[in-house]
Amino acid sequence: MADNNQPVLEIEDLSVAYVTPSGLVSAVNDVNLSIYPGEIVGLIGESGSGKSTMAYTIMRLLKGDAIVTKGRVKILGQDIYKMSRKELREFRWDKMSMVFQSAMSALNPVMTVETQIVDALQAHRKGMSYREAVARAEELMDLVRIDRKHLKSYPHELSGGMRQRVVIAIAIALEPSLVIMDEPTTALDVVVQRSILDEIKKIQEQVGFAIMFVSHDFSLVAELASRVAIMYAGRLIEITPSELLHLGEKHHPYTEGLLRAIPELTADEVTIQGIPGYPPDLQDLPSGCAFHPRCPYATDICRQVRPQKLKVEEKLIECHLFSEKEAVEHV
Ligand SMILES: Nc1ncnc2c1ncn2[C@@H]1O[C@H](COP(=O)(O)OP(=O)(O)OP(=O)(O)O)[C@@H](O)[C@H]1O
Ligand SMILES: [Mg+2]
């Protein structure tokens, strides 16, 4: 049985960089995050903030040009970077799985849905007969709400939404403890997106795995997740319970900017206030707080000293604004 106090995922001081001809691109910087059994944690940030890099690092699926420069990733207490290839192969999909951004690239175009699910099951469950695997595939189709007849379909015969449901079915087929979903619905239209998210939530409640849900859609993540981690230039600059994610709360100025960027519908107009400026060059990160060039509250200390993570009420925030005047705890 899963121990509720033992995190499913522990990320400790993790930094990841891409090696490029012009130097290192620091895509993930000093990340600390734990996810507990059955928890849904959202990871949000602008394009290029390092979300996918972090997701691939957790799965140990980084390509050759990326290196973990610091830190550890543990799944169910096991350091996945200390595993042999064989151990990792057995662990992946069985204990942790990932739903990628593009469903099409995750599916084999020349195999039926049934064959793909059955193969995934039998690769990991040596004793499972074909008949048992098909029965499980049928159960999974029910779970993701696709008619069982589509087990005989090829990916191109399905709609985008159905394909993404199949990918989710494969990801949860072996009942992993952790599923990483990297923008699983971004390519789909809003209605389909909404229904798949509802489904994910229902299945998660039923089956009980933990989810790291990557997205750049704030309102969507806040609705689905119980905690939200906000990424800026590869750092988790804030981790907050989702119910506290609104403008009335104290937040990192970047989080505040993102919250303001959500269109607000007033009587007869929609107002959008974005964050001025651009994310920094990851090959040449600003001194001090990486957000200082865009921050309306930046002072000298922000330009000179990198802020520590502070506990501000129920939130973890990396920002000098909170260090002195607030009753905060250093972590
Ligand atoms: N193979 C690579 N070589 C060099 N730099 C890379 C490589 N892959 C990603 N990067 C850089 O690393 C940074 C983080 O990229 P990543 O894909 O993790 O961001 P993301 O938050 O997932 O963005 P998006 O929301 O667009 O998916 C970006 O600046 C990107 O340009
Ligand atoms: Mg991405």
PDB file of all heavy atoms in Angstrom, residues 17-20 23 25-28 45-56 63 65-66 101 182-183 214-216 231 280 282, ligand 1:
ATOM      1  N   ALA A  17      20.423  21.736 -18.007  1.00  0.00           N
ATOM      2  CA  ALA A  17      20.854  22.675 -19.049  1.00  0.00           C
ATOM      3  C   ALA A  17      20.976  21.963 -20.382  1.00  0.00           C
ATOM      4  O   ALA A  17      21.212  20.753 -20.443  1.00  0.00           O
ATOM      5  CB  ALA A  17      22.189  23.299 -18.661  1.00  0.00           C
ATOM      6  N   TYR A  18      20.773  22.716 -21.473  1.00  0.00           N
ATOM      7  CA  TYR A  18      21.024  22.201 -22.814  1.00  0.00           C
ATOM      8  C   TYR A  18      22.404  22.669 -23.235  1.00  0.00           C
ATOM      9  O   TYR A  18      22.748  23.837 -23.038  1.00  0.00           O
ATOM     10  CB  TYR A  18      19.979  22.730 -23.800  1.00  0.00           C
ATOM     11  CG  TYR A  18      18.601  22.159 -23.552  1.00  0.00           C
ATOM     12  CD1 TYR A  18      17.646  22.876 -22.836  1.00  0.00           C
ATOM     13  CD2 TYR A  18      18.270  20.892 -24.020  1.00  0.00           C
ATOM     14  CE1 TYR A  18      16.387  22.343 -22.595  1.00  0.00           C
ATOM     15  CE2 TYR A  18      17.006  20.347 -23.783  1.00  0.00           C
ATOM     16  CZ  TYR A  18      16.077  21.086 -23.077  1.00  0.00           C
ATOM     17  OH  TYR A  18      14.835  20.550 -22.836  1.00  0.00           O
ATOM     18  N   VAL A  19      23.149  21.760 -23.818  1.00  0.00           N
ATOM     19  CA  VAL A  19      24.478  22.119 -24.320  1.00  0.00           C
ATOM     20  C   VAL A  19      24.293  22.570 -25.766  1.00  0.00           C
ATOM     21  O   VAL A  19      23.792  21.811 -26.596  1.00  0.00           O
ATOM     22  CB  VAL A  19      25.421  20.894 -24.267  1.00  0.00           C
ATOM     23  CG1 VAL A  19      26.811  21.271 -24.757  1.00  0.00           C
ATOM     24  CG2 VAL A  19      25.463  20.322 -22.855  1.00  0.00           C
ATOM     25  N   THR A  20      24.634  23.809 -26.049  1.00  0.00           N
ATOM     26  CA  THR A  20      24.502  24.318 -27.423  1.00  0.00           C
ATOM     27  C   THR A  20      25.856  24.892 -27.856  1.00  0.00           C
ATOM     28  O   THR A  20      26.700  25.183 -27.008  1.00  0.00           O
ATOM     29  CB  THR A  20      23.435  25.434 -27.525  1.00  0.00           C
ATOM     30  OG1 THR A  20      23.961  26.626 -26.934  1.00  0.00           O
ATOM     31  CG2 THR A  20      22.132  25.056 -26.839  1.00  0.00           C
ATOM     32  N   GLY A  23      26.856  27.850 -25.943  1.00  0.00           N
ATOM     33  CA  GLY A  23      26.946  27.779 -24.475  1.00  0.00           C
ATOM     34  C   GLY A  23      25.786  27.036 -23.853  1.00  0.00           C
ATOM     35  O   GLY A  23      24.945  26.466 -24.559  1.00  0.00           O
ATOM     36  N   VAL A  25      22.290  26.458 -21.977  1.00  0.00           N
ATOM     37  CA  VAL A  25      20.976  27.091 -21.794  1.00  0.00           C
ATOM     38  C   VAL A  25      20.407  26.515 -20.496  1.00  0.00           C
ATOM     39  O   VAL A  25      20.107  25.320 -20.412  1.00  0.00           O
ATOM     40  CB  VAL A  25      20.040  26.748 -22.979  1.00  0.00           C
ATOM     41  CG1 VAL A  25      18.647  27.319 -22.747  1.00  0.00           C
ATOM     42  CG2 VAL A  25      20.622  27.264 -24.290  1.00  0.00           C
ATOM     43  N   SER A  26      20.278  27.363 -19.468  1.00  0.00           N
ATOM     44  CA  SER A  26      19.813  26.878 -18.163  1.00  0.00           C
ATOM     45  C   SER A  26      18.294  26.810 -18.148  1.00  0.00           C
ATOM     46  O   SER A  26      17.627  27.794 -17.837  1.00  0.00           O
ATOM     47  CB  SER A  26      20.288  27.804 -17.043  1.00  0.00           C
ATOM     48  OG  SER A  26      21.673  27.976 -17.125  1.00  0.00           O
ATOM     49  N   ALA A  27      17.749  25.661 -18.468  1.00  0.00           N
ATOM     50  CA  ALA A  27      16.296  25.548 -18.648  1.00  0.00           C
ATOM     51  C   ALA A  27      15.558  25.266 -17.344  1.00  0.00           C
ATOM     52  O   ALA A  27      14.406  25.664 -17.172  1.00  0.00           O
ATOM     53  CB  ALA A  27      15.979  24.475 -19.674  1.00  0.00           C
ATOM     54  N   VAL A  28      16.194  24.554 -16.414  1.00  0.00           N
ATOM     55  CA  VAL A  28      15.602  24.279 -15.093  1.00  0.00           C
ATOM     56  C   VAL A  28      16.642  24.661 -14.049  1.00  0.00           C
ATOM     57  O   VAL A  28      17.810  24.279 -14.169  1.00  0.00           O
ATOM     58  CB  VAL A  28      15.209  22.782 -14.958  1.00  0.00           C
ATOM     59  CG1 VAL A  28      14.772  22.460 -13.531  1.00  0.00           C
ATOM     60  CG2 VAL A  28      14.099  22.420 -15.940  1.00  0.00           C
ATOM     61  N   GLY A  45       3.578  28.290 -16.501  1.00  0.00           N
ATOM     62  CA  GLY A  45       4.592  29.279 -16.839  1.00  0.00           C
ATOM     63  C   GLY A  45       4.483  29.585 -18.316  1.00  0.00           C
ATOM     64  O   GLY A  45       3.895  28.820 -19.075  1.00  0.00           O
ATOM     65  N   GLU A  46       5.075  30.716 -18.700  1.00  0.00           N
ATOM     66  CA  GLU A  46       5.022  31.119 -20.110  1.00  0.00           C
ATOM     67  C   GLU A  46       5.787  30.123 -20.971  1.00  0.00           C
ATOM     68  O   GLU A  46       6.577  29.325 -20.462  1.00  0.00           O
ATOM     69  CB  GLU A  46       5.693  32.496 -20.276  1.00  0.00           C
ATOM     70  CG  GLU A  46       4.888  33.650 -19.730  1.00  0.00           C
ATOM     71  CD  GLU A  46       5.728  34.925 -19.650  1.00  0.00           C
ATOM     72  OE1 GLU A  46       6.639  34.999 -18.807  1.00  0.00           O
ATOM     73  OE2 GLU A  46       5.471  35.844 -20.437  1.00  0.00           O
ATOM     74  N   SER A  47       5.616  30.241 -22.265  1.00  0.00           N
ATOM     75  CA  SER A  47       6.358  29.402 -23.198  1.00  0.00           C
ATOM     76  C   SER A  47       7.857  29.621 -22.984  1.00  0.00           C
ATOM     77  O   SER A  47       8.310  30.747 -22.801  1.00  0.00           O
ATOM     78  CB  SER A  47       5.958  29.792 -24.620  1.00  0.00           C
ATOM     79  OG  SER A  47       6.515  28.880 -25.504  1.00  0.00           O
ATOM     80  N   GLY A  48       8.605  28.511 -22.956  1.00  0.00           N
ATOM     81  CA  GLY A  48      10.056  28.604 -22.790  1.00  0.00           C
ATOM     82  C   GLY A  48      10.522  28.686 -21.348  1.00  0.00           C
ATOM     83  O   GLY A  48      11.712  28.837 -21.076  1.00  0.00           O
ATOM     84  N   SER A  49       9.594  28.566 -20.380  1.00  0.00           N
ATOM     85  CA  SER A  49      10.007  28.701 -18.976  1.00  0.00           C
ATOM     86  C   SER A  49      10.635  27.423 -18.424  1.00  0.00           C
ATOM     87  O   SER A  49      11.173  27.425 -17.317  1.00  0.00           O
ATOM     88  CB  SER A  49       8.820  29.143 -18.111  1.00  0.00           C
ATOM     89  OG  SER A  49       7.749  28.235 -18.233  1.00  0.00           O
ATOM     90  N   GLY A  50      10.565  26.316 -19.154  1.00  0.00           N
ATOM     91  CA  GLY A  50      11.236  25.089 -18.706  1.00  0.00           C
ATOM     92  C   GLY A  50      10.310  23.973 -18.264  1.00  0.00           C
ATOM     93  O   GLY A  50      10.761  22.963 -17.725  1.00  0.00           O
ATOM     94  N   LYS A  51       9.024  24.123 -18.512  1.00  0.00           N
ATOM     95  CA  LYS A  51       8.040  23.132 -18.041  1.00  0.00           C
ATOM     96  C   LYS A  51       8.276  21.752 -18.658  1.00  0.00           C
ATOM     97  O   LYS A  51       8.341  20.750 -17.947  1.00  0.00           O
ATOM     98  CB  LYS A  51       6.612  23.607 -18.359  1.00  0.00           C
ATOM     99  CG  LYS A  51       6.281  24.975 -17.810  1.00  0.00           C
ATOM    100  CD  LYS A  51       4.853  25.404 -18.143  1.00  0.00           C
ATOM    101  CE  LYS A  51       4.546  25.525 -19.628  1.00  0.00           C
ATOM    102  NZ  LYS A  51       5.284  26.585 -20.333  1.00  0.00           N
ATOM    103  N   SER A  52       8.385  21.711 -19.987  1.00  0.00           N
ATOM    104  CA  SER A  52       8.576  20.408 -20.643  1.00  0.00           C
ATOM    105  C   SER A  52       9.927  19.810 -20.267  1.00  0.00           C
ATOM    106  O   SER A  52      10.035  18.600 -20.070  1.00  0.00           O
ATOM    107  CB  SER A  52       8.491  20.541 -22.159  1.00  0.00           C
ATOM    108  OG  SER A  52       7.187  20.894 -22.524  1.00  0.00           O
ATOM    109  N   THR A  53      10.929  20.657 -20.169  1.00  0.00           N
ATOM    110  CA  THR A  53      12.254  20.145 -19.777  1.00  0.00           C
ATOM    111  C   THR A  53      12.146  19.452 -18.426  1.00  0.00           C
ATOM    112  O   THR A  53      12.687  18.364 -18.221  1.00  0.00           O
ATOM    113  CB  THR A  53      13.274  21.299 -19.713  1.00  0.00           C
ATOM    114  OG1 THR A  53      13.268  21.976 -20.960  1.00  0.00           O
ATOM    115  CG2 THR A  53      14.672  20.774 -19.401  1.00  0.00           C
ATOM    116  N   MET A  54      11.408  20.057 -17.512  1.00  0.00           N
ATOM    117  CA  MET A  54      11.242  19.446 -16.197  1.00  0.00           C
ATOM    118  C   MET A  54      10.472  18.127 -16.313  1.00  0.00           C
ATOM    119  O   MET A  54      10.847  17.128 -15.698  1.00  0.00           O
ATOM    120  CB  MET A  54      10.513  20.411 -15.266  1.00  0.00           C
ATOM    121  CG  MET A  54      10.561  19.954 -13.839  1.00  0.00           C
ATOM    122  SD  MET A  54      10.265  21.331 -12.766  1.00  0.00           S
ATOM    123  CE  MET A  54       8.898  20.714 -11.842  1.00  0.00           C
ATOM    124  N   ALA A  55       9.435  18.106 -17.119  1.00  0.00           N
ATOM    125  CA  ALA A  55       8.651  16.879 -17.289  1.00  0.00           C
ATOM    126  C   ALA A  55       9.528  15.747 -17.851  1.00  0.00           C
ATOM    127  O   ALA A  55       9.519  14.632 -17.336  1.00  0.00           O
ATOM    128  CB  ALA A  55       7.470  17.152 -18.223  1.00  0.00           C
ATOM    129  N   TYR A  56      10.289  16.057 -18.879  1.00  0.00           N
ATOM    130  CA  TYR A  56      11.168  15.039 -19.476  1.00  0.00           C
ATOM    131  C   TYR A  56      12.257  14.605 -18.496  1.00  0.00           C
ATOM    132  O   TYR A  56      12.662  13.444 -18.502  1.00  0.00           O
ATOM    133  CB  TYR A  56      11.805  15.571 -20.766  1.00  0.00           C
ATOM    134  CG  TYR A  56      10.870  15.505 -21.953  1.00  0.00           C
ATOM    135  CD1 TYR A  56       9.972  16.543 -22.222  1.00  0.00           C
ATOM    136  CD2 TYR A  56      10.872  14.403 -22.792  1.00  0.00           C
ATOM    137  CE1 TYR A  56       9.101  16.484 -23.298  1.00  0.00           C
ATOM    138  CE2 TYR A  56      10.003  14.328 -23.881  1.00  0.00           C
ATOM    139  CZ  TYR A  56       9.115  15.369 -24.123  1.00  0.00           C
ATOM    140  OH  TYR A  56       8.256  15.295 -25.185  1.00  0.00           O
ATOM    141  N   LYS A  63      16.825  14.362 -24.070  1.00  0.00           N
ATOM    142  CA  LYS A  63      17.632  14.014 -25.250  1.00  0.00           C
ATOM    143  C   LYS A  63      19.113  14.228 -24.931  1.00  0.00           C
ATOM    144  O   LYS A  63      19.451  14.819 -23.905  1.00  0.00           O
ATOM    145  CB  LYS A  63      17.225  14.919 -26.430  1.00  0.00           C
ATOM    146  CG  LYS A  63      15.756  14.826 -26.772  1.00  0.00           C
ATOM    147  CD  LYS A  63      15.494  13.850 -27.911  1.00  0.00           C
ATOM    148  CE  LYS A  63      14.052  13.383 -27.969  1.00  0.00           C
ATOM    149  NZ  LYS A  63      13.051  14.461 -28.042  1.00  0.00           N
ATOM    150  N   ASP A  65      21.364  16.250 -25.837  1.00  0.00           N
ATOM    151  CA  ASP A  65      21.976  17.566 -25.642  1.00  0.00           C
ATOM    152  C   ASP A  65      21.610  18.209 -24.301  1.00  0.00           C
ATOM    153  O   ASP A  65      22.003  19.324 -24.015  1.00  0.00           O
ATOM    154  CB  ASP A  65      21.609  18.503 -26.800  1.00  0.00           C
ATOM    155  CG  ASP A  65      20.100  18.660 -26.967  1.00  0.00           C
ATOM    156  OD1 ASP A  65      19.343  17.906 -26.305  1.00  0.00           O
ATOM    157  OD2 ASP A  65      19.672  19.521 -27.742  1.00  0.00           O
ATOM    158  N   ALA A  66      20.837  17.479 -23.482  1.00  0.00           N
ATOM    159  CA  ALA A  66      20.445  18.036 -22.183  1.00  0.00           C
ATOM    160  C   ALA A  66      21.180  17.307 -21.063  1.00  0.00           C
ATOM    161  O   ALA A  66      21.349  16.091 -21.116  1.00  0.00           O
ATOM    162  CB  ALA A  66      18.943  17.884 -21.989  1.00  0.00           C
ATOM    163  N   GLN A 101       2.402  16.217 -25.326  1.00  0.00           N
ATOM    164  CA  GLN A 101       1.622  17.295 -25.922  1.00  0.00           C
ATOM    165  C   GLN A 101       0.893  16.842 -27.195  1.00  0.00           C
ATOM    166  O   GLN A 101      -0.256  17.170 -27.390  1.00  0.00           O
ATOM    167  CB  GLN A 101       2.582  18.435 -26.242  1.00  0.00           C
ATOM    168  CG  GLN A 101       1.914  19.765 -26.289  1.00  0.00           C
ATOM    169  CD  GLN A 101       2.899  20.896 -26.013  1.00  0.00           C
ATOM    170  OE1 GLN A 101       3.947  20.698 -25.425  1.00  0.00           O
ATOM    171  NE2 GLN A 101       2.538  22.072 -26.448  1.00  0.00           N
ATOM    172  N   ASP A 182       1.825  16.684 -20.016  1.00  0.00           N
ATOM    173  CA  ASP A 182       2.404  17.915 -20.552  1.00  0.00           C
ATOM    174  C   ASP A 182       1.432  18.514 -21.569  1.00  0.00           C
ATOM    175  O   ASP A 182       1.368  18.071 -22.703  1.00  0.00           O
ATOM    176  CB  ASP A 182       3.763  17.617 -21.198  1.00  0.00           C
ATOM    177  CG  ASP A 182       4.511  18.891 -21.584  1.00  0.00           C
ATOM    178  OD1 ASP A 182       3.962  19.993 -21.371  1.00  0.00           O
ATOM    179  OD2 ASP A 182       5.635  18.786 -22.108  1.00  0.00           O
ATOM    180  N   GLU A 183       0.700  19.502 -21.146  1.00  0.00           N
ATOM    181  CA  GLU A 183      -0.302  20.164 -21.988  1.00  0.00           C
ATOM    182  C   GLU A 183      -1.134  19.139 -22.770  1.00  0.00           C
ATOM    183  O   GLU A 183      -1.185  19.186 -23.998  1.00  0.00           O
ATOM    184  CB  GLU A 183       0.384  21.135 -22.950  1.00  0.00           C
ATOM    185  CG  GLU A 183       1.412  21.986 -22.231  1.00  0.00           C
ATOM    186  CD  GLU A 183       1.420  23.450 -22.663  1.00  0.00           C
ATOM    187  OE1 GLU A 183       0.388  23.912 -23.171  1.00  0.00           O
ATOM    188  OE2 GLU A 183       2.431  24.103 -22.447  1.00  0.00           O
ATOM    189  N   VAL A 214       1.008  19.909 -16.602  1.00  0.00           N
ATOM    190  CA  VAL A 214       1.731  21.048 -17.153  1.00  0.00           C
ATOM    191  C   VAL A 214       0.818  21.832 -18.097  1.00  0.00           C
ATOM    192  O   VAL A 214       0.172  21.237 -18.958  1.00  0.00           O
ATOM    193  CB  VAL A 214       2.961  20.571 -17.955  1.00  0.00           C
ATOM    194  CG1 VAL A 214       3.708  21.741 -18.575  1.00  0.00           C
ATOM    195  CG2 VAL A 214       3.879  19.729 -17.075  1.00  0.00           C
ATOM    196  N   SER A 215       0.800  23.139 -17.927  1.00  0.00           N
ATOM    197  CA  SER A 215      -0.053  23.945 -18.793  1.00  0.00           C
ATOM    198  C   SER A 215       0.382  25.401 -18.744  1.00  0.00           C
ATOM    199  O   SER A 215       1.160  25.795 -17.877  1.00  0.00           O
ATOM    200  CB  SER A 215      -1.495  23.838 -18.306  1.00  0.00           C
ATOM    201  OG  SER A 215      -2.341  24.655 -19.067  1.00  0.00           O
ATOM    202  N   HIS A 216      -0.101  26.206 -19.683  1.00  0.00           N
ATOM    203  CA  HIS A 216       0.102  27.640 -19.489  1.00  0.00           C
ATOM    204  C   HIS A 216      -1.233  28.342 -19.253  1.00  0.00           C
ATOM    205  O   HIS A 216      -1.296  29.548 -19.197  1.00  0.00           O
ATOM    206  CB  HIS A 216       0.921  28.270 -20.629  1.00  0.00           C
ATOM    207  CG  HIS A 216       0.389  27.968 -21.974  1.00  0.00           C
ATOM    208  ND1 HIS A 216       1.060  27.169 -22.859  1.00  0.00           N
ATOM    209  CD2 HIS A 216      -0.753  28.317 -22.562  1.00  0.00           C
ATOM    210  CE1 HIS A 216       0.325  27.048 -23.955  1.00  0.00           C
ATOM    211  NE2 HIS A 216      -0.780  27.744 -23.797  1.00  0.00           N
ATOM    212  N   MET A 231       6.401  28.614 -12.737  1.00  0.00           N
ATOM    213  CA  MET A 231       7.781  28.576 -13.206  1.00  0.00           C
ATOM    214  C   MET A 231       8.124  29.839 -13.973  1.00  0.00           C
ATOM    215  O   MET A 231       7.364  30.285 -14.832  1.00  0.00           O
ATOM    216  CB  MET A 231       7.949  27.351 -14.107  1.00  0.00           C
ATOM    217  CG  MET A 231       9.369  26.920 -14.266  1.00  0.00           C
ATOM    218  SD  MET A 231       9.395  25.249 -14.937  1.00  0.00           S
ATOM    219  CE  MET A 231      10.954  24.668 -14.306  1.00  0.00           C
ATOM    220  N   PRO A 280      13.679  36.229 -19.730  1.00  0.00           N
ATOM    221  CA  PRO A 280      15.113  36.455 -19.949  1.00  0.00           C
ATOM    222  C   PRO A 280      15.750  35.408 -20.855  1.00  0.00           C
ATOM    223  O   PRO A 280      15.191  34.342 -21.088  1.00  0.00           O
ATOM    224  CB  PRO A 280      15.691  36.347 -18.539  1.00  0.00           C
ATOM    225  CG  PRO A 280      14.754  35.463 -17.810  1.00  0.00           C
ATOM    226  CD  PRO A 280      13.398  35.742 -18.381  1.00  0.00           C
ATOM    227  N   LEU A 282      18.007  32.524 -21.366  1.00  0.00           N
ATOM    228  CA  LEU A 282      18.435  31.482 -20.429  1.00  0.00           C
ATOM    229  C   LEU A 282      19.935  31.191 -20.521  1.00  0.00           C
ATOM    230  O   LEU A 282      20.477  30.421 -19.744  1.00  0.00           O
ATOM    231  CB  LEU A 282      17.627  30.194 -20.660  1.00  0.00           C
ATOM    232  CG  LEU A 282      16.118  30.314 -20.441  1.00  0.00           C
ATOM    233  CD1 LEU A 282      15.409  29.011 -20.788  1.00  0.00           C
ATOM    234  CD2 LEU A 282      15.797  30.716 -19.003  1.00  0.00           C
TER     235      LEU A 282
HETATM  236  N1  LIG B   1      17.268  20.946 -27.471  1.00  0.00           N
HETATM  237  C1  LIG B   1      17.397  22.172 -26.993  1.00  0.00           C
HETATM  238  N2  LIG B   1      18.544  22.878 -27.139  1.00  0.00           N
HETATM  239  C2  LIG B   1      18.663  24.125 -26.651  1.00  0.00           C
HETATM  240  N3  LIG B   1      17.715  24.766 -25.956  1.00  0.00           N
HETATM  241  C3  LIG B   1      16.565  24.117 -25.768  1.00  0.00           C
HETATM  242  C4  LIG B   1      16.324  22.801 -26.264  1.00  0.00           C
HETATM  243  N4  LIG B   1      15.068  22.416 -25.916  1.00  0.00           N
HETATM  244  C5  LIG B   1      14.556  23.445 -25.228  1.00  0.00           C
HETATM  245  N5  LIG B   1      15.438  24.475 -25.127  1.00  0.00           N
HETATM  246  C6  LIG B   1      15.241  25.757 -24.455  1.00  0.00           C
HETATM  247  O1  LIG B   1      14.961  25.510 -23.084  1.00  0.00           O
HETATM  248  C7  LIG B   1      13.980  26.412 -22.596  1.00  0.00           C
HETATM  249  C8  LIG B   1      12.848  25.652 -21.944  1.00  0.00           C
HETATM  250  O2  LIG B   1      12.141  24.921 -22.938  1.00  0.00           O
HETATM  251  P1  LIG B   1      10.860  24.043 -22.587  1.00  0.00           P
HETATM  252  O3  LIG B   1      10.467  23.353 -23.825  1.00  0.00           O
HETATM  253  O4  LIG B   1      11.188  23.224 -21.406  1.00  0.00           O
HETATM  254  O5  LIG B   1       9.820  25.169 -22.190  1.00  0.00           O
HETATM  255  P2  LIG B   1       8.249  25.063 -21.927  1.00  0.00           P
HETATM  256  O6  LIG B   1       7.978  25.827 -20.684  1.00  0.00           O
HETATM  257  O7  LIG B   1       7.820  23.661 -22.010  1.00  0.00           O
HETATM  258  O8  LIG B   1       7.643  25.895 -23.159  1.00  0.00           O
HETATM  259  P3  LIG B   1       6.241  25.683 -23.954  1.00  0.00           P
HETATM  260  O9  LIG B   1       5.175  26.308 -23.091  1.00  0.00           O
HETATM  261  O10 LIG B   1       6.459  26.455 -25.206  1.00  0.00           O
HETATM  262  O11 LIG B   1       6.038  24.222 -24.188  1.00  0.00           O
HETATM  263  C9  LIG B   1      13.542  27.261 -23.795  1.00  0.00           C
HETATM  264  O12 LIG B   1      14.208  28.505 -23.733  1.00  0.00           O
HETATM  265  C10 LIG B   1      14.017  26.483 -24.993  1.00  0.00           C
HETATM  266  O13 LIG B   1      14.361  27.342 -26.037  1.00  0.00           O
END
